DNA sequence: CGCTCTGTTGAGCCGCATCAACACCAGTGG
DNA sequence: CCACTGGTGTTGATGCGGCTCAACAGAGCG
């Protein structure tokens, strides 16, 4: 049913072939390989989101029900397709429930910067629901499944429930916190620290929505994607991963990351997960699904 | 009345003396010098914020009145003092109406990264009103004046008006958009482009709240602050400024930036102001106060 | 007066980019 | 069956952008 072999835009070192001066959110995608590990349960309805709310002690039952009602239709996107396009005025709001996506921007020299990675439980286009227009595009890196709500219904629900607004506003605040942390990494961490922080954060986020298997989780990024997320070159990312592997910090193959020495990794990253806003703190080395 | 000579934390290349692993928002401050230019009208009440709303066609009169009522008390902060502290649970919400502030983070090696600059019309601690705890601190770079609202009253106003929530949520969305743009700059722009973008953005934001005088505006950052905002070294920032000056792009002295060749500057920056969310677009080279 | 903060410039070096080549794999078409 | 292609990962060689260290000048302040 889904085309997995859709040619993906070359992300790093792309010079001439891609749209310019635009933000994008894209589903990061790669072809399934024969021995690809998919150990994670499918996420039905917005359980990923609700797990996040729970971890934050954030949402009451009423809001959870409201969200369930609003986001009732499901859509799928093949890897390499756009979940959202910059400057469009989408007719519905999407909540990612499976897969990994990335919002990005391309400059006129063809260089690309991924500004954020979306995992299940994240909203794709809250911005456009409030401001009216997509500020970037989103690409599916993986095969992505989303739940959609009609923009009209969504907006009217917002104007009837201050609680719903507060909860979703909190999502935006967390997104901003994540981006701040990313700015810190880019500006003042070493390349290795930046990479370590990136991985720690994604592990934490994926764990919190019940999508990690202990210290392993699925992360369908190519090294090229990773380079564009970190603001480094592909070659350098390759070498960083090599040193991490040889230092016994992690393994990464077939889109599955396994953190082998979480303590050390966090130390290198100076990772402090409090900015993610989870009250329920995951002990390093112990994932929720084990607890 | 105000102490201007408060020793400021050394921002760049600070090695050992500063608090660690913490976000901060600080009022960026510098001493007033004899010939310091202060050509800008003082901002009474939340006029800066209201100008912003107007530029976005965002807020109705009811909300504007509500905000005026809520933010009725005024406080001042000397340059170098904290407007907000990480991990605190502030008892009120602050809206900056004069001065410039910065939120930042310090890593264990003593390096500092400024994650965002606040100008009049920006809220200091919306995050903590919703999430409950400051995610960073804010330092006054300048002498800062803020209007404050009681957290209790603020929260109850939020739970009574979905419109108020929507408007303030929009502020957070814009903040996130600004940070995304900063990530793009850090990752994929040249250092010169990054600096150019930084200046274009601040000029735009300051203009939109009526605080610029044509192509000049007050920007009380030291080169050290600037380095920490851009993620560069002080020395390199100094050299970038030198080339910009000698290329006739801008002048910058006594905390006043004058953009001399806005077209060229925007070109270098690949600056597209649409992410700031202003419907009412300022023509390059023409400021509102002139129109 | 000395002290601190800021801005400025030079010298030297390193982290990371760039360029290039090659290996591997999955598809694809003859 | 094969050659061929495009995406990805890997490694070496080389060079540059920006960092680090260091020194000095000017301004404001105690």
């Amino acid at each position: 049913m889904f085309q997995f072999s859709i040619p993906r835009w070359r992300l790093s070192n792309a010079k001439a072939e891609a749209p310019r001066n635009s933000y994008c959110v894209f589903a990061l995608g790669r072809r399934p390989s024969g021995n690809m590990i998919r150990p994670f349960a499918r996420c039905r309805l917005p359980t990923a989101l609700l797990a996040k709310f729970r971890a934050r002690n954030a949402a009451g039952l009423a809001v959870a029900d409201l969200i369930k009602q609003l986001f009732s239709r499901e859509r799928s996107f093949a890897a390499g397709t756009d979940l959202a396009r910059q400057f469009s005025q989408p007719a519905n709001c999407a909540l990612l429930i499976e897969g990994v996506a990335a919002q990005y921007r391309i400059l006129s020299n063809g260089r690309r910067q991924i500004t954020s990675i979306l995992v299940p439980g994240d909203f794709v286009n809250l911005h456009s629901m409030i401001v009216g227009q997509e500020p970037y595009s989103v690409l599916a890196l993986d095969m992505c499944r989303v739940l959609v709500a009609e923009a009209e219904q969504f907006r009217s629900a917002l104007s009837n429930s201050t609680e719903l607004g507060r909860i979703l506003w909190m999502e935006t605040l967390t997104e901003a916190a994540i981006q701040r942390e990313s700015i810190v990494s880019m500006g003042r961490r070493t390349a290795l620290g930046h990479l370590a922080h990136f991985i720690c954060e994604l592990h934490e986020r994926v764990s919190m929505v019940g999508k990690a298997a202990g210290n392993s989780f699925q992360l369908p990024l190519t090294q090229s994607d990773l380079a564009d997320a970190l603001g480094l070159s592909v070659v350098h990312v390759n070498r960083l991963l090599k040193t991490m592997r040889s230092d016994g910090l992690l393994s990464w193959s077939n889109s599955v990351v396994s953190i082998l020495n979480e303590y050390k990794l966090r130390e290198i990253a100076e990772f402090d997960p409090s900015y993610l806003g989870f009250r329920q703190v995951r002990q390093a080395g112990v994932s929720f699904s084990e607890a």
Side-chain angles (χ1 to χ4, degrees), chain A:
Chain A
M1 172 154 185
F2 294 107
Q3 290 292 333
F4 281 94
S5 54
I6 288 174
R8 299 174 54 197
W9 289 347
R10 294 180 57 227
L11 295 195
S12 263
N13 305 337
K15 284 288 160 55
E17 71 274 17
R20 294 305 161 67
N21 276 319
S22 56
Y23 273 127
C24 298
V25 187
F26 55 107
L28 305 179
R30 76 163 65 215
R31 303 181 197 89
S33 73
N35 52 0
M36 198 165 177
I37 308 174
R38 284 205 172 269
F40 315 116
R42 301 188 92 205
C43 181
R44 283 153 307 158
L45 291 170
T47 54
L49 180 66
L50 298 182
K52 210 156 61 162
F53 289 166
R54 221 180 312 122
R56 288 191 188 133
N57 303 329
L61 287 177
V63 173
D65 278 344
L66 186 51
I67 290 178
K68 275 185 191 168
Q69 281 169 29
L70 281 171
F71 290 87
S72 50
R73 240 174 66 235
E74 186 175 324
R75 284 195 58 189
S76 294
F77 292 85
T81 58
D82 278 354
L83 299 183
R85 288 230 171 81
Q86 188 185 26
F87 300 134
S88 67
Q89 290 161 18
N92 45 48
C93 180
L95 167 61
L96 188 63
I97 56 169
E98 194 178 338
V100 176
Q103 51 175 267
Y104 65 88
R105 173 83 137 77
I106 298 174
L107 298 179
S108 68
N109 57 8
R111 299 189 153 198
R112 208 174 294 227
Q113 177 66 44
I114 290 177
T115 53
S116 98
I117 301 285
L118 306 184
V119 301
D122 291 339
F123 288 91
V124 174
N125 57 350
L126 275 184
H127 187 109
S128 60
M129 291 300 108
I130 304 305
V131 177
Q133 184 175 270
E134 289 293 334
Y136 43 76
S137 306
V138 181
L139 174 75
L141 294 179
D142 209 357
M143 195 275 278
C144 283
R145 291 167 59 231
V146 300
L147 295 176
V148 296
E150 297 263 342
E152 283 307 308
Q153 287 178 28
F154 184 79
R155 292 199 182 98
S156 87
L158 276 177
S159 63
N160 287 324
S161 164
T162 56
E163 186 59 12
L164 180 63
R166 198 182 66 83
I167 290 296
L168 297 182
W169 183 3
M170 203 149 133
E171 287 297 310
T172 303
L173 286 162
T174 304
E175 188 191 333
I178 290 171
Q179 286 170 354
R180 259 194 303 274
E181 208 52 50
S182 177
I183 290 173
V184 172
S185 284
M186 299 245 217
R188 292 297 185 228
R189 272 187 247 261
T190 63
L192 202 69
H194 188 177
L195 174 55
H197 194 276
F198 182 85
I199 293 181
C200 287
E201 177 192 299
L202 278 174
H203 181 222
E204 195 76 11
R205 288 167 63 193
V206 164
S207 293
M208 281 298 171
V209 295
K211 293 276 208 176
N215 277 331
S216 295
F217 64 106
Q218 187 125 17
L219 193 54
L221 305 204
T222 64
Q223 292 186 358
S224 179
D225 295 332
L226 194 53
D228 287 341
L230 301 178
L232 298 169
S233 70
V234 194
V235 174
H236 197 58
V237 162
N238 182 285
R239 288 180 175 132
L240 292 175
L241 285 173
K242 186 182 172 186
T243 70
M244 280 199 170
R245 257 185 262 118
S246 68
D247 290 353
L249 294 175
L250 54 76
S251 70
W252 185 337
S253 62
N254 292 318
S255 299
V256 175
V257 175
S258 295
I259 297 178
L260 302 177
N261 189 340
E262 186 167 14
Y263 178 79
K264 192 89 179 292
L265 197 67
R266 287 187 171 207
E267 195 177 59
I268 293 171
E270 293 190 40
F271 181 69
D272 169 3
S274 64
Y275 68 97
L276 293 170
F278 301 120
R279 303 279 166 94
Q280 184 176 0
V281 176
R282 208 185 113 269
Q283 298 291 320
V286 182
S287 86
F288 270 100
S289 39
E290 290 169 345

